[in-house]
Amino acid sequence: MVKQILISDSTLRDGNHACAHQLSIDQIAIYAEAADKAGVPIVEVGHGNGLGASSLQVGLCKETDKDMLETARKHLSKSKLGIHVIPGFATIKRDLISAIDIGVDVVRVASHCTEADITQRHLGYVRERGKEAYGVLMMSHMASATVLVEEAQKMELYGAEGIIIMDSAGAYLPSDVQEKISALVNGLKVPVGFHAHNNLGMSIANSITAIESGAKILDGTARGFGAGAGNAQIEVLVAVLEKMGFITGIDLYKILDASDVAEKNVMSSVPIIKSDSIVSGLSGVFSGFAKHVTRISSEYEVDPRDVYRELGKRKIVGGQEDIIIEVVMDLIRNRK
């Protein structure tokens, strides 16, 4: 029995969180070419929050969606070009039509883990255009296994050809992954995937647990380049999966080379697990908040760990970045 695992590389999308969405056209070209040479099946490109998300609230991108996607398309011959789409940030008329016209092959339509209803029109349109459509449930630690299955079944009904759950806060332990992935595998007819973050140092362990629980899709980034403490390192994933006898279709030496290219040319620093990242993971806070929390906490001389704990208590999710300043002001008032 062939043990095939589909790997999606979000270095050029999730990695944009790590540099405040300032990846340049040149950096996108350099890494896309290296990933393509390695045989990475899907290379995801864009603003950290996906297509159409560039804004003052969540962060302005250095480059336009059009320029990023056209650049990546020129440098991908074997790899498929993928995008992350959150309805609300991205509209069909303004964003999705043009992205597909540029040559996007794979569209992953995402929602908060309890709001799959908003993905119906986008998933339907992607299928109408004959492109690969996946459903993504973000911040999945905030929902029970039962609820995740219910929401994933909606996406499956809307036309999703696979469902990926994101550990957006890096909050999972392997036991959490095992419970939720197993439930999804048993409750769906389409393949299941897992997107890990490394706030608690569990990204590789959680990714392997996902595979052992029946997942067929994994996400990773070069050197873990991504929001917060970063993602599962794609080069480590490929090596470990190869050791376990799984097939990814990715050349190990060439993905190691691609990660070296990324460290040298794409990232200003390699992600590490910092004190703030740990508290963020424990509090279940969206990893993409890291830059915002660091900046605002420093400006107002507030302990960022207290900010993360309060954000976690309030169950704040991506798109609510404006609440960070409100939390900081409340913390200042309470210490007087």
Side-chain angles (χ1 to χ4, degrees):
M1 183 177 178
V2 176
K3 300 192 293 184
Q4 185 82 38
I5 302 298
L6 176 63
I7 302 288
S8 182
D9 183 343
S10 51
T11 302
L12 298 177
R13 196 276 304 169
D14 211 321
N16 238 332
H17 279 300
C19 59
H21 315 288
Q22 296 304 296
L23 286 180
S24 70
I25 292 300
D26 288 343
Q27 290 172 318
I28 290 168
I30 288 169
Y31 185 74
E33 185 174 322
D36 190 73
K37 287 179 179 177
V40 173
I42 302 168
V43 176
E44 199 173 87
V45 178
H47 184 282
N49 293 84
L51 191 69
S54 181
S55 64
L56 285 172
Q57 183 179 16
V58 299
L60 290 168
C61 222
K62 180 180 179 67
E63 312 285 359
T64 66
D65 289 332
K66 180 176 183 291
D67 288 344
M68 287 189 285
L69 294 176
E70 286 182 345
T71 299
R73 182 70 280 164
K74 289 176 184 175
H75 291 85
L76 298 176
S77 58
K78 294 181 294 184
S79 303
K80 294 177 181 178
L81 174 58
I83 54 173
H84 181 77
V85 173
I86 302 174
F89 282 141
T91 68
I92 293 174
K93 288 186 178 180
R94 186 193 68 208
D95 306 297
L96 194 50
I97 290 174
S98 59
I100 291 175
D101 287 344
I102 286 168
V104 165
D105 304 297
V106 178
V107 180
R108 307 208 325 179
V109 184
S111 76
H112 182 64
C113 58
T114 58
E115 298 174 0
D117 306 65
I118 71 170
T119 66
Q120 182 173 8
R121 290 183 62 248
H122 288 67
L123 283 168
Y125 179 74
V126 176
R127 292 302 302 272
E128 285 175 16
R129 292 291 302 270
K131 303 300 180 180
E132 292 182 35
Y134 292 86
V136 177
L137 294 171
M138 303 182 294
M139 297 290 285
S140 63
H141 71 283
M142 297 181 73
S144 68
T146 300
V147 169
L148 286 177
V149 171
E150 292 171 353
E151 296 298 308
Q153 287 173 339
K154 293 177 186 178
M155 289 178 160
E156 185 178 43
L157 182 64
Y158 301 155
E161 299 168 87
I163 306 294
I164 295 93
I165 62 168
M166 286 188 164
D167 182 15
S168 311
Y172 278 175
L173 298 177
S175 57
D176 304 313
V177 178
Q178 192 279 329
E179 176 193 9
K180 292 180 177 180
I181 293 293
S182 295
L184 287 162
V185 169
N186 291 329
L188 300 171
K189 296 182 178 68
V190 297
V192 174
F194 184 69
H195 174 101
H197 277 265
N198 203 39
N199 295 61
L200 300 179
M202 303 302 296
S203 63
I204 297 297
N206 284 341
S207 297
I208 296 307
T209 299
I211 293 301
E212 293 176 334
S213 302
K216 302 296 183 186
I217 306 163
L218 288 178
D219 291 357
T221 63
R223 295 287 191 273
F225 190 49
N231 298 59
Q233 289 184 234
I234 190 170
E235 65 273 21
V236 178
L237 277 180
V238 171
V240 173
L241 289 169
E242 185 175 295
K243 184 172 183 178
M244 295 176 67
F246 289 97
I247 296 170
T248 65
I250 299 174
D251 185 287
L252 176 59
Y253 277 19
K254 290 181 180 178
I255 196 64
L256 294 173
D257 291 342
S259 295
D260 291 340
V261 166
E263 182 175 351
K264 180 180 179 182
N265 299 288
V266 177
M267 57 189 78
S268 57
S269 60
V270 176
I272 60 171
I273 302 172
K274 299 179 181 179
S275 300
D276 297 357
S277 306
I278 296 170
V279 178
S280 174
L282 290 173
S283 303
V285 175
F286 172 46
S287 296
F289 281 179
K291 292 285 185 184
H292 304 283
V293 171
T294 299
R295 174 177 54 80
I296 297 171
S297 298
S298 176
E299 182 178 349
Y300 289 94
E301 298 182 342
V302 170
D303 191 330
R305 296 170 294 186
D306 292 336
V307 178
Y308 281 121
R309 288 201 178 278
E310 185 59 30
L311 289 169
K313 289 177 185 177
R314 299 189 189 191
K315 299 186 184 303
I316 303 304
V317 300
Q320 295 180 299
E321 281 79 357
D322 54 321
I323 303 296
I324 298 172
I325 186 67
E326 179 182 314
V327 165
V328 168
M329 293 296 104
D330 286 346
L331 289 170
I332 291 172
R333 282 191 289 269
N334 291 337
R335 74 186 181 189
K336 290 181 178 179

